[in-house]
């Protein structure tokens, strides 16, 4: 019996190719760029400046980038250089940047259509780093509720204190309360006062609400969602545990180190009483992890305190919040990798769970890319200015981690140096990994593996 050969070729499954400009990462990058462009245009208008003259392009671009990227670095004094319209524009930009443009668009669609499509869910997931598509609707609602509630409560607390405790007129107190409350929750660090909040260094009724808003905004929305669901501590996810315990350790440890390092410094904590020193140290530790307000003169800090700021700023806050930096979970996952390697464990374990190898690689990638960006920017800036190395390094880390603290040299940098800070702020806000994904869209998986080899390490 004869058999005829099968004449048809095997059918290959053709997967849809995602156009680069429709990828969620690329959309986020483009929308952030668009917001910066619009903000720059608005700030260049004559009525955005207090003297009625339009701001130059570099000043407007730097300020808009700093606002959208919720950084807080400035080249001009916010309160005296910009008019009421200019200050309101800056507030709107850092509210938009902190809230997340994809979050805003998706919430608008939710309000209008009462539903979120799959594509919108994917875009929102990219912005919030939600752990699953099913969490996106809950996180979107939580973002709106928490943002409105925290900012309104902080505004009320600050306005009352400014009016009753510091003699401001009610309209001025309300505006200053709103501006600083929104800035604090979004970890933006913008202030209408040239000395930031140093004039309130001993006032817990001002620094307290600011710290609460900073911490809530910096924890990250997935953590807030889990806390609001009322789960018991032993049932919290690894991400929540790492974020909460890590934040607590960094804040308290940073405050203690800062208190010990600056208590003898006559230009910072020296003239204050011990209770006021503790308050200022705690606020400084909280703010150093991307909030950007300063209660003491940053330019007068000791070398030890500057080094402490390098670490706190670079680590930053929680993922999917308004904070910047490489994020707490990234830092502590790397710490757990080292700890488990020292103990000889084959897997990286924490609280009876294994950390996926893909997460470990992602944490390492974020750290290496972030450190590389900081080093390259530092090498590019140093030849441009005679300013001290430690101050230039401080400015670079502050810009990349979207902190906004400054030793006072930002305005002294040449135009090329300020452009480098603009690039750092944008890269730090969008995220090294997100930006890399937007530029290199190939996420294909190879169907083969090379033979294993073990180079000598150490």
């Amino acid at each position: 019996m004869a058999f005829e050969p099968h004449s048809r070729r095997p059918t290959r499954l053709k997967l849809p190719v995602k156009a680069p400009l429709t990828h969620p990462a690329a959309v986020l990058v483009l929308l952030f760029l668009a917001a910066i462009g619009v903000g720059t245009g608005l700030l260049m208008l004559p009525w955005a400046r207090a003297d009625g003259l339009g701001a130059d392009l570099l000043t407007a671009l730097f300020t808009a980038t700093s606002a959208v990227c919720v950084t807080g670095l400035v080249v001009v004094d916010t309160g005296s250089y910009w008019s009421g319209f200019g200050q309101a524009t800056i507030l709107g930009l850092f509210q938009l940047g902190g809230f997340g443009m994809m979050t805003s668009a998706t919430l608008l669609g939710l309000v209008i259509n009462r539903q979120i499509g799959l594509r919108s869910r994917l875009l929102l997931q990219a912005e919030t780093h939600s752990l699953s598509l099913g969490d996106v609707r809950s996180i979107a609602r939580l973002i709106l509720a928490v943002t409105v509630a925290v900012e309104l409560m902080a505004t009320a607390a600050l306005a009352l204190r400014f009016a009753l405790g510091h003699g401001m007129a009610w309209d001025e107190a309300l505006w200053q309360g709103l501006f600083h409350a929104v800035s604090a929750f979004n970890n933006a660090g913008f202030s209408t006062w040239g000395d930031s909040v140093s004039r309130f260094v001993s006032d817990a009724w001002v620094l307290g609400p600011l710290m609460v808003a900073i911490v809530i905004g910096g924890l990250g929305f997935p953590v807030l969602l889990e806390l609001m669901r009322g789960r018991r501590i032993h049932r919290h996810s690894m991400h929540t545990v790492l974020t909460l315990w890590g934040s607590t350790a960094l804040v308290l440890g940073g405050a203690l180190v800062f208190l010990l390092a600056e208590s003898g410094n006559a230009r910072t904590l020296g003239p204050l009483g011990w209770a006021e020193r503790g308050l200022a140290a705690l606020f400084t530790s909280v703010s150093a992890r991307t909030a950007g307000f300063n209660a003491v003169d940053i330019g007068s800090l000791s070398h030890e305190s500057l080094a402490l700021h390098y670490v706190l700023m670079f680590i930053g806050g929680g993922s999917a919040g308004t904070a910047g930096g490489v994020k707490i979970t990234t830092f502590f996952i790397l710490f757990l990798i080292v700890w488990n390697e020292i103990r000889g464990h084959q897997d990286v374990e924490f609280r009876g769970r294994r950390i996926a190898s893909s997460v470990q690689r992602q944490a390492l990638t974020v750290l290496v890319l972030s450190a590389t960006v900081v080093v390259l920017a530092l090498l590019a800036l140093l030849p441009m200015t005679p300013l001290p190395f430690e101050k230039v390094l401080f400015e670079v880390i502050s810009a990349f981690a979207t902190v906004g603290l400054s030793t006072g040299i930002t305005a002294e940098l040449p135009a090329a140096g300020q452009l480098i800070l603009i690039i750092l702020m944008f890269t730090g806000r969008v995220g090294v990994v997100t930006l890399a994904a937007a530029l290199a869209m190939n996420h294909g998986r190879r169907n083969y593996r090379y033979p294993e080899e073990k180079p000598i390490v150490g």
Side-chain angles (χ1 to χ4, degrees):
M1 183 176 180
F3 290 91
E4 295 183 359
H6 201 289
S7 60
R8 290 184 301 172
R9 296 180 179 179
T11 302
R12 292 184 179 181
L13 180 62
K14 293 183 178 181
L15 297 177
V17 178
K18 183 182 291 293
L21 295 182
T22 63
H23 191 283
V27 173
L28 293 177
V29 171
L30 292 174
L31 285 179
F32 269 92
L33 287 173
I36 292 172
V38 172
T40 301
L42 291 174
L43 292 177
M44 291 181 68
L45 296 173
W47 49 85
R49 189 171 167 179
D51 58 8
L53 302 175
D56 61 274
L57 175 60
L58 182 58
T59 298
L61 176 62
F62 192 99
T63 305
T65 304
S66 183
V68 173
C69 298
V70 290
T71 305
L73 285 176
V74 294
V75 291
V76 294
D77 180 66
T78 304
S80 60
Y81 186 87
W82 303 107
S83 65
F85 173 81
Q87 294 177 29
T89 299
I90 293 171
L91 184 151
L93 290 175
F94 61 65
Q95 175 72 88
L96 181 64
F99 193 69
M101 283 172 289
M102 282 299 93
T103 309
S104 303
T106 306
L107 284 174
L108 182 60
L110 178 63
V111 172
I112 296 175
N113 301 321
R114 301 288 183 177
Q115 62 184 1
I116 300 179
L118 178 61
R119 176 176 173 78
S120 297
R121 284 174 178 250
L122 287 170
L123 291 173
L124 180 59
Q125 186 185 26
E127 169 66 15
T128 62
H129 302 281
S130 174
L131 298 180
S132 67
L133 287 177
D135 292 333
V136 172
R137 183 187 294 269
S138 298
I139 290 179
R141 290 173 175 170
L142 179 63
I143 292 172
L144 178 61
V146 171
T147 298
V148 173
V150 175
E151 290 180 355
L152 285 179
M153 288 189 291
T155 298
L158 291 173
L160 287 172
R161 184 58 180 171
F162 291 153
L164 302 179
H166 296 278
M168 290 186 189
W170 278 104
D171 56 343
E172 175 69 9
L174 185 60
W175 167 245
Q176 296 294 349
L178 175 65
F179 189 95
H180 289 83
V182 176
S183 182
F185 177 75
N186 289 287
N187 281 225
F190 276 88
S191 176
T192 55
W193 298 302
D195 62 350
S196 189
V197 293
S198 296
R199 63 188 65 187
F200 306 111
V201 64
S202 59
D203 192 340
W205 295 103
V206 172
L207 300 188
L210 290 176
M211 282 192 286
V212 171
I214 290 168
V215 170
I216 293 177
L219 282 177
F221 295 112
V223 174
L224 295 176
L225 177 61
E226 193 165 332
L227 292 177
M228 293 185 67
R229 286 173 175 170
R231 292 180 179 176
R232 296 181 180 180
I233 296 178
H234 68 276
R235 297 188 62 187
H236 284 166
S237 67
M238 184 186 299
H239 173 78
T240 295
V241 172
L242 287 174
T243 301
L244 292 177
W245 285 103
S247 297
T248 302
L250 290 174
V251 168
L252 296 181
L256 178 60
V257 173
F258 187 80
L259 183 64
L260 295 175
E262 294 298 320
S263 289
N265 189 340
R267 294 181 296 175
T268 55
L269 298 185
L272 304 177
W274 281 105
E276 296 170 339
R277 291 181 189 178
L279 174 65
L282 183 63
F283 181 83
T284 300
S285 183
V286 170
S287 184
R289 292 176 46 247
T290 81
F293 292 108
N294 59 282
V296 297
D297 181 16
I298 300 298
S300 300
L301 295 180
S302 64
H303 293 293
E304 295 83 359
S305 295
L306 287 176
L308 171 67
H309 276 74
Y310 299 156
V311 175
L312 293 179
M313 291 191 300
F314 189 73
I315 294 174
S319 300
T322 56
V326 298
K327 303 298 188 295
I328 297 171
T329 46
T330 301
F331 175 78
F332 280 98
I333 285 173
L334 292 170
F335 175 81
L336 289 172
I337 292 173
V338 174
W339 177 244
N340 279 269
E341 183 65 25
I342 292 174
R343 297 175 67 187
H345 291 176
Q346 183 177 359
D347 298 317
V348 179
E349 303 165 351
F350 181 68
R351 297 177 75 240
R353 294 289 187 272
R354 288 184 294 109
I355 298 178
S357 59
S358 59
V359 175
Q360 299 175 42
R361 292 194 302 271
Q362 184 179 6
L364 183 61
T365 301
V366 169
L367 178 67
V368 172
L369 288 179
S370 299
T372 301
V373 170
V374 169
V375 170
L376 291 177
L378 182 63
L379 293 176
L381 268 176
L382 285 175
M384 298 180 184
T385 174
L387 294 168
F389 170 83
E390 63 271 13
K391 291 190 175 183
V392 176
L393 177 60
F394 190 100
E395 220 76 5
V396 167
I397 297 177
S398 180
F400 175 76
T402 66
V403 178
L405 289 174
S406 174
T407 56
I409 68 170
T410 305
E412 300 178 33
L413 293 174
Q418 293 177 10
L419 286 174
I420 290 176
L421 293 186
I422 289 173
I423 295 172
L424 282 172
M425 289 187 289
F426 179 77
T427 304
R429 176 62 184 103
V430 174
V432 176
V433 174
T434 302
L435 184 59
L439 297 175
M441 310 303 297
N442 185 11
H443 299 284
R445 176 177 294 181
R446 295 187 301 188
N447 296 322
Y448 61 89
R449 299 176 71 186
Y450 289 109
E452 183 181 83
E453 189 171 344
K454 296 182 179 180
I456 299 175
V457 176

